[in-house]
Structure formats: C-alpha cells, structure tokens
Amino acid sequence: MSIRKLLMIPGPTPVARSIQDEMGRETVAFGDPAFVQDFKEVIEDMKEMWGAKQVYVVAGSGSLAMEMGIANTVARDEKILIASNGFFGDRFVDVIERKGIDFELMQAEWGTTVTPEMIDEKLQSGEFNAVTVTHVDTSTGVVAPVEEIGKMLNEKYPDVMYIVDGVCATSAEPEHLEDMHIDILISGSQKAFGVAPGLAFVWASQKALDKRASLGTIPEYFADFMKWTPIMDDPSKYYATPPVNLVWALQESLRLIKEEGLQNRYDRHRKMADAIQKALESYGFKILAQEGVRASTLSNIIYMDGVDDMKFRETMREEGAEVAGGLGDYAGKMFRWGHMGNIDEHDVVGGLAAIDRTLMRLGIDVEPGKAIGIFTKEYMK
C-alpha cells in the first residue's frame, strides 16, 4: 500500500485544501469584473499587511522578484553591498553581474548572520548606493536581523536603498516595510504563503518608487515597475496575462493569514520551529544555524556519524516524507526540513515518525517516539 507523502522541503510547501480549490475553479477572462475586484483586493491586502506603498504581483518565481528589485532601484553606475548569509544571498552576485553593476560581496560564515555592525563598517566608505540582505537563507537556515539593519540604515544612511529577500520568510518571519525601513521586499507564492509555485511578489516603498522614476528607461521589459504600476493601480488594464487561478489561490491564502492574524502566525512559526529543533537535536543531529539566529521557516540538520545522505533521503521518501539535501560545502552532510506556511502539528509528528523509521532502517540506535514526545512537550508549553 502506498502512503501519502509529506512535503518537508523548504518550498514548495503543502497547499491547504481551500487554496487548492481556488486553483481548481473554472478559469475566467482576466477582464472579468468579479476577477478584477478580487485582484484589487489582493493588491490592497498585500500593501496594507506589509506596509508598502506599492506591490507587484506577477507571474514568475522569487528569482524574477530578485531581478525586479535590483533593476528598478539601482543605476548602472552605482554600487551594491551584498550582505550574504549563504547560497541564496550569493545568488545576487549573478543577477547584479549580468546588469553590469558594481558590487562587493560580504559573506557571513555559514551558520551565522551578517549584523548591522558589519554592514555599518562597510557603508562608512560612502561608496554604496544599495544593500541586499536575505532574511532567511534556505542553504543555512539562518535568519538575518532585518529590523535592526533597517533601523541602522535609516538613522545613518537614509539614502541607501535597502533590498530584502524575503522569499523564505515573508508571512512567517516579521516583516513590514514602513516599520523596518525596508525599500524593496521580494518573495514568492510557494513558501510561507502556502500557494503553488508561480507568483512573484515585490513590495516597494515610496523611496524605491521615486528611485525608479529617476532612472528613466531601463533595459528590462517584463521586470519594469513602470509597465506593471498601471496594472497594480487598476487590474482591469492589460499588460501581460495574470495567472487568474493563482491570484484566487493567493486571495484565499491571505484570507487564512488574516483569519489567523499576522502576529499569531509569526508566533506559531517561532514556537513550532523551536520545538522541532529541540526534537531533532534529541536524535543526535546538529542544527547548522547557531542558537539565536535560527529561522522559524526551516531547519538545516547536520547528520550524526554513520548516516549516509542519499540512503537517508531515499529511505525517508519510502517512509512517506520528502526532505531536501544540503547545499554548498554541506551537500551530502545534512538535510533540510521546511516547516512553514500551513503545516500543523500532525504534519510535524508524521515527519518525526518518518525520521524514527528511517534511522531504524539504517541501523541507527533510536528510541522510537522520543523526539515526538519532546516536540509535543515543547509545543504545548
């Protein structure tokens, strides 16, 4: 008998039934008045909930959002400081190099995070016009102090553009453009929003919009804010066909988030992550991210001696749970468990039970149910 597989990777994440139902609706014309109203509501909710002057909801992935964030706010003769916590922070290098923009890469040791002090030290030279920070890097499971960085930038470098990659954070880790002095926030539908892949999100502050206006014509076509702003202001207008059913799915996701409450959602993710990470450590695994900078959206788990990566992940798949492998220097040395969006205690317990069974099949000494008990005790505090 085949068993239902738990999706335990850092994205895409499980899609709740009510969100799936919206994707299964009969598609209508993008100019249908009822859909136009739904799209308007989505845009207004996204702006209000994350404190933005404008939001761009377009067909694409988080990688498109990264490119949009850079292309619309940094001129070719300017310089960017890339403050990286891992593989996906480093990805900004490729995006920026292809645009011919000068940059400097500042890398934190994997498992640690960049700090406001590190960024401040670099910016004192006066040569940088923008800073990119990845809020949660899925390669390391580290969460950056975006609020503290934003406060420092606002106080000391108010003209520097602050660009935050929230792909693996938004709607699970606290983010608010106005309160945190963020100018560009990027994300995607497939992670903490719990929607299927296919939507890119870019939130912009007034400062970012003013900067785009000052750039004039840019080489990008699909990624140009100027092409999309009229659509976001009035979705009855046409530029490129919106993914109708995904917009409906996002609308349902936002309804669920508002019903739970953003702060409650943040608290739930933090509480669940802490409990999961304690349970994982009880096996003898180690968490790559240091205590104090561990993300609430995923855990990056270093194997104990004697565990073969491929055998572990293949056996996990057979036991009904899909986990992701490590990246960079940690490829083959760890697995990554995403626990964001609309997962609940049942999913977590099922995941831990799959780890129990997998380790037992691999000949690793395990006390069945111990980790589940630790998770339950911690989560119920």
Side-chain angles (χ1 to χ4, degrees):
M1 182 184 74
S2 62
I3 56 177
R4 179 173 64 89
K5 279 192 170 57
L6 295 170
L7 193 58
M8 293 168 50
I9 62 175
T13 62
V15 180
R17 171 52 58 187
S18 65
I19 296 175
Q20 292 182 41
D21 289 345
E22 293 300 309
M23 291 190 291
R25 288 172 60 179
E26 184 174 348
T27 303
V28 301
F30 58 80
D32 181 280
F35 171 72
V36 169
Q37 183 58 38
D38 288 339
F39 202 177
K40 284 181 180 178
E41 291 177 4
V42 164
I43 291 164
E44 289 307 310
D45 279 344
M46 295 278 273
K47 289 193 291 187
E48 180 181 352
M49 293 167 72
W50 282 277
K53 185 68 175 179
Q54 184 61 277
V55 67
Y56 300 92
V57 179
V58 302
S61 70
S63 297
L64 171 64
M66 291 175 75
E67 187 159 15
M68 289 180 71
I70 298 295
N72 289 278
T73 61
V74 185
R76 296 300 169 104
D77 60 350
E78 294 181 329
K79 188 172 182 178
I80 302 175
L81 176 64
I82 303 172
S84 175
N85 292 321
F87 180 88
F88 289 96
D90 293 352
R91 178 181 273 193
F92 272 110
V93 171
D94 200 17
V95 174
I96 293 166
E97 277 185 330
R98 287 169 180 264
K99 298 185 182 303
I101 299 172
D102 193 13
F103 69 91
E104 183 174 334
L105 175 62
M106 179 177 68
Q107 296 171 299
E109 181 182 352
W110 279 36
T112 68
T113 183
V114 295
T115 65
E117 294 75 20
M118 292 166 65
I119 294 172
D120 183 16
E121 183 178 354
K122 289 289 185 182
L123 295 185
Q124 288 175 20
S125 68
E127 60 182 319
F128 295 100
N129 305 94
V131 175
T132 68
V133 176
T134 303
H135 197 172
V136 172
D137 200 301
T138 59
S139 66
T140 61
V142 164
V143 59
V146 296
E147 183 172 12
E148 292 81 357
I149 293 170
K151 181 180 179 182
M152 182 274 294
L153 291 173
N154 182 62
E155 291 176 352
K156 302 183 71 173
Y157 310 98
D159 294 330
V160 171
M161 198 66 59
Y162 185 26
I163 300 169
V164 174
D165 172 359
V167 170
C168 197
T170 311
S171 88
E173 295 278 1
E175 292 172 340
H176 193 275
L177 274 75
E178 185 176 0
D179 293 348
M180 298 183 181
H181 310 289
I182 298 169
D183 295 305
I184 291 287
L185 174 65
I186 66 173
S187 196
S189 56
Q190 76 278 16
K191 293 191 182 272
F193 283 89
V195 177
L199 288 173
F201 310 139
V202 184
W203 291 262
S205 70
Q206 186 61 57
K207 186 172 87 174
L209 297 176
D210 291 343
K211 183 60 179 293
R212 171 63 193 92
S214 75
L215 295 179
T217 301
I218 63 174
E220 289 75 16
Y221 178 71
F222 189 78
D224 189 352
F225 282 0
M226 291 298 197
K227 298 289 188 182
W228 287 107
T229 297
I231 313 305
M232 298 300 105
D233 289 343
D234 181 2
S236 67
K237 295 180 178 179
Y238 174 76
Y239 169 54
T241 303
V244 173
N245 293 62
L246 279 173
V247 171
W248 280 331
L250 176 59
Q251 184 178 41
E252 174 62 12
S253 171
L254 292 171
R255 186 193 69 78
L256 294 173
I257 293 170
K258 290 189 292 182
E259 184 179 84
E260 182 176 13
L262 263 175
Q263 188 58 55
N264 290 335
R265 192 174 180 88
Y266 299 150
D267 293 342
R268 170 172 64 83
H269 276 82
R270 182 72 268 158
K271 186 176 183 180
M272 182 170 285
D274 289 345
I276 289 171
Q277 288 156 6
K278 285 186 172 62
L280 291 168
E281 288 176 323
S282 74
Y283 288 109
F285 294 125
K286 293 181 180 179
I287 309 298
L288 174 60
Q290 294 182 355
E291 288 192 40
V293 296
R294 293 178 179 176
S296 68
T297 51
L298 81 159
S299 298
N300 293 29
I301 305 133
I302 301 172
Y303 297 118
M304 70 283 281
D305 291 341
V307 178
D308 178 87
D309 173 55
M310 288 302 297
K311 288 182 180 178
F312 177 86
R313 289 191 288 121
E314 288 173 1
T315 307
M316 282 286 286
R317 193 176 297 117
E318 292 170 4
E319 291 297 333
E322 185 82 26
V323 295
L327 297 173
D329 290 343
Y330 286 89
K333 299 177 183 178
M334 73 177 181
F335 71 98
R336 297 178 296 144
W337 179 357
H339 37 75
M340 71 193 94
N342 297 313
I343 71 163
D344 59 21
E345 302 93 312
H346 300 292
D347 298 313
V348 176
V349 168
L352 291 171
I355 293 174
D356 273 3
R357 297 192 299 271
T358 294
L359 291 176
M360 291 173 71
R361 286 180 57 184
L362 296 179
I364 306 296
D365 186 28
V366 173
E367 182 182 336
K370 178 182 176 182
I372 294 172
I374 290 171
F375 166 77
T376 303
K377 181 178 179 180
E378 293 296 323
Y379 191 67
M380 294 302 292
K381 283 183 178 178

